[in-house]
Amino acid sequence: MASSKGEYSAVEDAESQNNSHSPRRSGRGIWPLSRKATLIIATVLISLMLLTAGSGPARNKLKEYKIPPEWMPESKEEDSHLAQQEANWTQFAYTQYVTDEDYLCNSVMMFETLHYLESKAERVMLFPRDWHDENRTDKSKHAELLRKAETEYSVKLVPVDIQRGGGEEATWAESYTKLLAFNQTDYRRVLNIDSDGTILQSMDELFLLPSATVAMPRAYWGAADKRQLSSQVMLVEPSAREFARIQKAIKKSSKDTYDMEIMNDLYYDSSMVLPHRPYDLLTGEFKKDNHKEYLGNDVEPWNPGAVYEEAKFLHFSDWPVPKPWREIDENMLQENQPKCQQVDGKENCEARDLWRAFYEEFAVRRQNICHLAPAAENKRKLARRDEVPRPLDSRIL
């Protein structure tokens, strides 16, 4: 399976180059030659004969030999499209886990985006078992949103027991439920993406990466001396063996151990590493003065619009600014928003405008998809929009 990309042609012939050797001359002419010189000449002649033979039937057989596709590395974009067309997409799924109504809405928004992007993989939502409404008579908000996910966005609903750790913060303590992705053995591979973010482009190509128990990006924002794996995006090959390891680690965890720590403890040295660019961009990156860690180099100029256009997943992380479904005071936004920059003698506010649009666009979609009122600060301007905005159109809000 691959971050993806297709089949490759058979081996190409390598051209052989022949070095010509001239007989050594002496003051007496070229003859007689020593036994050593004779041996050298004989070796050269035999080599030439073998090289010539290489262009005959045996060499033609090499041309005809086809390397099995599964041995091939992946490369070209057109091969990726072909691989995606030929893949059995029922083997793959995007997964979301929910523990409360806020995160349920976030997950429904994720699935709505995947539906809009026409993602080929299946969609699975893990939700609390006590929400299960077998007779479909529940009129609660969470029942309404579960039915919406199932009927409008083709989501498979899976009731589960919420996995809790010892942490004091409820949301993080219940994030162990994310690790149930390892138990979804109906699928060959699943992709779990944290719901406190926005999917900007399809990530179907990740399902076709070469086989690996787990694949995650590095937390590029962390300490450079030992950069941790980020569990915000996890590509998992479910199995009973690995799920047993996960369960054992959860039972042994302390109150300060969360899902990210468990994933690093188990897979730091063995995980396939996904490039954080474009698969794991933090909103907080737009507020920084130095972007070397995200860009991966110190020579590329920071271009907020270009970075946004290439990104596939945007994760809300702007402490102390609350998550976008919480009520956000305008003063807090202004105090923490990116600063405008002077570029070629002109004020450039692209980073600030993008950053504010991320929050506003999320609030608009939340209102229109989940019918949940946005924060009071946003009500006036959001009420004018009737259609669900698209994540890729954030800047036009």
Side-chain angles (χ1 to χ4, degrees):
M1 307 193 223
S3 150
S4 139
K5 307 192 175 176
E7 301 178 350
Y8 299 77
S9 57
V11 228
E12 297 180 356
D13 296 336
E15 294 297 331
S16 301
Q17 296 182 348
N18 302 330
N19 295 323
S20 58
H21 295 266
S22 298
R24 184 180 59 179
R25 293 179 181 271
S26 69
R28 295 176 296 175
I30 64 170
W31 301 106
L33 295 176
S34 67
R35 292 172 65 183
K36 181 177 179 181
T38 303
L39 180 60
I40 292 173
I41 292 172
T43 302
V44 170
L45 290 173
I46 292 171
S47 298
L48 289 171
M49 291 172 61
L50 290 173
L51 286 171
T52 303
S55 62
R59 193 171 181 86
N60 289 335
K61 285 184 179 180
L62 179 60
K63 284 184 177 181
E64 295 170 1
Y65 179 72
K66 304 291 185 184
I67 291 183
E70 61 269 22
W71 294 2
M72 292 298 204
E74 315 224 4
S75 70
K76 302 176 183 176
E77 188 173 345
E78 55 268 29
D79 293 333
S80 172
H81 295 318
L82 179 61
Q84 291 197 30
Q85 289 174 5
E86 295 178 348
N88 179 2
W89 289 100
T90 62
Q91 300 179 91
F92 310 125
Y94 288 89
T95 60
Q96 288 283 298
Y97 76 98
V98 300
T99 57
D100 60 35
E101 287 189 4
D102 281 335
Y103 279 88
L104 171 58
C105 175
N106 296 351
S107 293
V108 173
M109 291 166 65
M110 288 285 219
F111 287 128
E112 188 275 340
T113 298
L114 290 171
H115 177 76
Y116 170 79
L117 294 173
E118 299 181 345
S119 166
K120 300 179 182 67
E122 296 194 351
R123 300 154 201 165
V124 175
M125 182 187 288
L126 311 179
F127 69 97
R129 193 177 301 279
D130 57 9
W131 287 3
H132 188 45
D133 178 27
E134 189 172 354
N135 298 321
R136 297 178 179 269
T137 57
D138 190 346
K139 303 298 183 183
S140 66
K141 188 63 182 181
H142 64 250
E144 174 193 329
L145 290 174
L146 287 172
R147 286 192 289 270
K148 183 182 185 75
E150 183 180 41
T151 58
E152 296 186 27
Y153 309 132
S154 305
V155 176
K156 179 181 177 181
L157 303 178
V158 179
V160 298
D161 296 319
I162 299 302
Q163 307 294 299
R164 292 183 172 86
E168 297 177 0
E169 211 287 330
T171 298
W172 287 358
E174 294 178 346
S175 68
Y176 284 171
T177 308
K178 174 195 305 185
L179 303 181
L180 289 175
F182 284 88
N183 197 35
Q184 304 311 302
T185 52
D186 287 346
Y187 297 96
R188 183 178 169 190
R189 210 166 210 174
V190 299
L191 180 59
N192 193 92
I193 304 169
D194 278 4
S195 63
D196 51 346
T198 296
I199 293 175
L200 300 173
Q201 300 183 56
S202 172
M203 291 183 268
D204 282 357
E205 70 277 3
L206 292 181
F207 292 106
L208 305 182
L209 282 169
S211 178
T213 300
V214 66
M216 294 180 283
R218 295 284 183 198
Y220 71 89
W221 55 90
D225 56 340
K226 189 178 180 182
R227 192 144 287 155
Q228 298 285 293
L229 297 165
S230 167
S231 59
Q232 293 171 3
V233 177
M234 296 194 319
L235 183 67
V236 171
E237 291 183 355
S239 72
R241 181 195 65 192
E242 292 303 316
F243 185 56
R245 293 183 68 203
I246 293 289
Q247 287 180 306
K248 184 177 180 181
I250 291 175
K251 289 178 181 177
K252 292 170 59 179
S253 65
S254 67
K255 68 176 184 177
D256 297 321
T257 302
Y258 299 103
D259 62 280
M260 185 167 167
E261 283 75 23
I262 286 179
M263 293 302 293
N264 277 276
D265 287 346
L266 294 180
Y267 302 109
Y268 183 83
D269 293 321
S270 61
S271 173
M272 177 188 291
V273 177
L274 302 175
H276 65 264
R277 179 182 182 185
Y279 293 108
D280 197 6
L281 171 62
L282 301 188
T283 53
E285 186 65 30
F286 291 80
K287 301 192 295 182
K288 290 184 176 180
D289 295 323
N290 187 327
H291 303 278
K292 174 184 175 182
E293 302 305 326
Y294 179 77
L295 295 176
N297 63 80
D298 56 4
V299 296
E300 182 180 353
W302 170 249
N303 184 327
V307 166
Y308 166 69
E309 291 293 342
E310 76 177 9
K312 296 204 168 190
F313 174 62
L314 180 70
H315 188 264
F316 287 99
S317 181
D318 285 296
W319 178 261
V321 177
K323 297 292 186 179
W325 58 91
R326 309 291 187 197
E327 184 166 348
I328 305 175
D329 181 74
E330 177 62 26
N331 291 332
M332 174 172 282
L333 283 176
Q334 291 189 13
E335 290 171 3
N336 291 278
Q337 66 188 11
K339 295 178 175 59
C340 298
Q341 304 292 328
Q342 289 294 318
V343 179
D344 297 329
K346 297 180 180 179
E347 188 176 56
N348 185 317
C349 299
E350 185 176 25
R352 182 202 66 187
D353 294 343
L354 275 169
W355 185 85
R356 291 188 67 98
F358 299 151
Y359 280 85
E360 184 178 338
E361 183 271 345
F362 188 97
V364 174
R365 283 192 298 123
R366 181 177 175 82
Q367 179 181 5
N368 287 306
I369 294 171
C370 302
H371 305 296
L372 292 173
E377 294 288 337
N378 295 325
K379 283 182 180 178
R380 182 180 55 81
K381 59 184 176 183
L382 299 185
R384 297 196 302 267
R385 297 186 61 85
D386 299 322
E387 298 179 357
V388 175
R390 301 266 50 90
L392 288 174
D393 300 329
S394 294
R395 286 180 291 170
I396 67 171
L397 290 176

